[in-house]
Amino acid sequence: MLRIAVVGATGAVGRECLTLLDDGIVPVGQVVPAASARSVGRDLAAEWGLSLPLAPLTAVEDLDPDAVDVAVLCAGAEVSRREAERLAAGGVLVVDNSSAFRMRPGVPLVVPQVNPGALADRPAGNLVSNPNCSTIQLVRALHPLHELAGLESVVVATYQAASGGGVRGLAELADGSARVLADPGAPPEEAGGEAGGEAGGRFGQPLPFNLVPEIGLQDETGLSHEERKLAREPRKILGLPELPVSATAVRVPVFHCHSEAVHIRLRRPVTAEAVEDALAATPGLRVYRRTQSPSYPMPRSVFARDEDRALVHVGRIRVEPEDPRAAALWVVADNLWVGAALNALQIVELAVKQGWLS
Ligand SMILES: NC(=O)c1ccc[n+]([C@@H]2O[C@H](COP(=O)([O-])OP(=O)(O)OC[C@H]3O[C@@H](n4cnc5c(N)ncnc54)[C@H](OP(=O)(O)O)[C@@H]3O)[C@@H](O)[C@H]2O)c1
């Protein structure tokens, strides 16, 4: 039976990996949780009520490659840069959630519903990258439309939840919001930063009751790190190296689920019905047609049910009356499931099907 390590098991994504494994998404013989040395001794099965076969939590540097077949890394790019290749060299198939290897040639960047062919063969380096959370929901909505009428260009604005900032991001929004409600006149910097944490907190700016139009550092052109990922990663996944993708990434004071306003230009004219039908025929997508009420998904309703957390939701589907090659969509998905843990475990599922891990 499959032996799987979850590195970063105490974090927001790691916890969702354990939850999905507990639900049986992939049959496992043993799950080895790993995190920093600070967390050794924590009993995650007891803390979170899990019944999966969980080994004692280990520090990642003590994780023995001979003890596992596959490792899902969700401990940040620094840990991935340090540990991924050690594990991969030891024969472990590594599925990495960080940005460390995504654009490296030879490392497949995989969304199983979009480019499963990237995993036709076991990668020589034993490394597979999980795309950025905002990229995954974007390409899952774009792929059927590319097949329908050919993508020419994409403009996207993201509305990204605090859970994208991990456990600390969630705590910071909760604590900061409570402080604003307790003292609405307090200066924003006192209400925003992480409780007892560094200045600027997890999001660089106070997030409660605010909008922060900068996710990750800006480069010399003014593009933020998140915006660069949103431009590059869809090209690699969709196999469209020249596709222009222009992004504005915004952190919003929502706990869970990223939303995206997406404007696309297609090579051939379409109708809104054809766009709805193409999306509705795609497994894993839920479409909100213009005739429905509401005709759009929202983060809180998507997060409310596990069934919805596992899907990409698309609504507000429009085609410009004066330009039938221009369409617009509103896309919502749970960044912790669709954008991270679920995609990573679906890659593992694919690897099991390929017979690489038996
Ligand atoms: N949150 C999202 O929506 C999302 C979506 C897609 C991808 N990702 C990626 O997934 C990764 C995890 O994100 P997250 O949101 O789950 O973060 P998080 O909640 O902050 O969790 C971080 C995890 O990494 C571990 N860790 C931190 N420093 C470590 C070290 N030096 N050695 C070993 N373990 C260490 C932490 O362990 P301790 O508890 O022991 O510190 C914790 O388990 C990141 O690469 C992120 O970019 C996140």
Side-chain angles (χ1 to χ4, degrees):
M1 284 287 269
L2 187 70
R3 302 165 304 162
I4 182 167
V6 176
V7 176
T10 54
V13 175
R15 180 175 181 167
E16 299 302 334
C17 282
L18 295 183
T19 303
L20 289 164
L21 288 169
D22 202 41
D23 289 347
I25 179 168
V26 187
V28 285
Q30 184 166 54
V31 180
V32 182
S36 74
R38 305 179 277 277
S39 295
V40 172
R42 279 181 67 175
D43 181 351
L44 301 182
E47 282 181 40
W48 298 335
L50 305 168
S51 54
L52 73 178
L54 206 60
L57 192 147
T58 177
V60 61
E61 46 279 359
D62 296 333
L63 188 60
D64 176 3
D66 289 333
V68 293
D69 307 301
V70 58
V72 177
L73 267 51
C74 19
E78 211 182 298
V79 174
S80 293
R81 280 191 207 101
R82 212 180 58 217
E83 299 293 338
E85 284 163 302
R86 174 181 75 83
L87 294 168
V92 177
L93 182 74
V94 173
V95 181
D96 183 30
N97 266 295
S98 83
S99 58
F101 307 103
R102 287 180 189 148
M103 299 312 296
R104 184 186 281 188
V107 175
L109 182 63
V110 181
V111 178
Q113 296 81 357
V114 175
N115 62 337
L119 287 187
D121 300 306
R122 183 168 177 147
N126 268 341
L127 265 175
V128 181
S129 273
N130 218 40
N132 175 259
C133 42
S134 302
T135 300
I136 294 175
Q137 68 188 72
L138 178 65
V139 296
R140 284 188 57 185
L142 291 181
H143 183 239
L145 303 182
H146 177 58
E147 297 206 316
L148 176 72
L151 270 177
E152 196 172 275
S153 63
V154 180
V155 178
V156 55
T158 69
Y159 303 70
Q160 298 187 212
S163 60
V167 167
R168 277 172 53 211
L170 284 165
E172 189 174 307
L173 179 59
D175 297 346
S177 301
R179 284 201 294 278
V180 175
L181 291 171
D183 183 6
E189 60 276 13
E190 285 175 23
E194 188 191 9
E198 72 233 46
R202 191 72 184 81
F203 303 113
Q205 300 288 344
L207 185 62
F209 303 95
N210 211 1
L211 299 172
V212 183
E214 180 184 37
I215 303 182
L217 294 176
Q218 290 179 41
D219 65 14
E220 64 291 348
T221 68
L223 284 171
S224 73
H225 192 45
E226 190 80 357
E227 289 158 356
R228 285 199 304 273
K229 291 187 250 181
L230 269 160
R232 288 182 189 144
E233 294 179 15
R235 294 182 191 141
K236 180 167 175 177
I237 299 162
L238 294 166
L240 298 170
E242 309 295 331
L243 181 72
V245 182
S246 172
T248 300
V250 183
R251 187 74 68 186
V252 300
V254 161
F255 285 101
H256 291 283
C257 297
H258 291 352
S259 304
E260 297 177 347
V262 185
H263 292 259
I264 56 174
R265 202 160 162 76
L266 296 156
R267 297 201 178 279
R268 297 182 290 280
V270 290
T271 62
E273 289 79 10
V275 171
E276 286 180 350
D277 291 346
L279 294 167
T282 305
L285 297 191
R286 173 160 298 160
V287 172
Y288 300 66
R289 291 182 185 266
R290 287 155 308 136
T291 48
Q292 276 175 253
S293 180
S295 58
Y296 46 84
M298 292 173 285
R300 282 191 65 184
S301 40
V302 168
F303 190 71
R305 294 190 319 153
D306 282 359
E307 187 195 329
D308 286 325
R309 293 183 68 192
L311 298 173
V312 175
H313 299 253
V314 191
R316 292 301 317 282
I317 295 162
R318 291 151 281 157
V319 171
E320 297 289 341
E322 280 85 39
D323 181 0
R325 293 201 294 137
L329 324 160
W330 174 250
V331 183
V332 181
D334 182 359
N335 46 296
L336 292 178
W337 277 27
V338 166
L342 185 61
N343 196 78
L345 293 173
Q346 285 168 338
I347 290 172
V348 174
E349 203 178 12
L350 206 54
V352 170
K353 274 194 197 131
Q354 301 279 53
W356 299 343
L357 300 172
S358 50

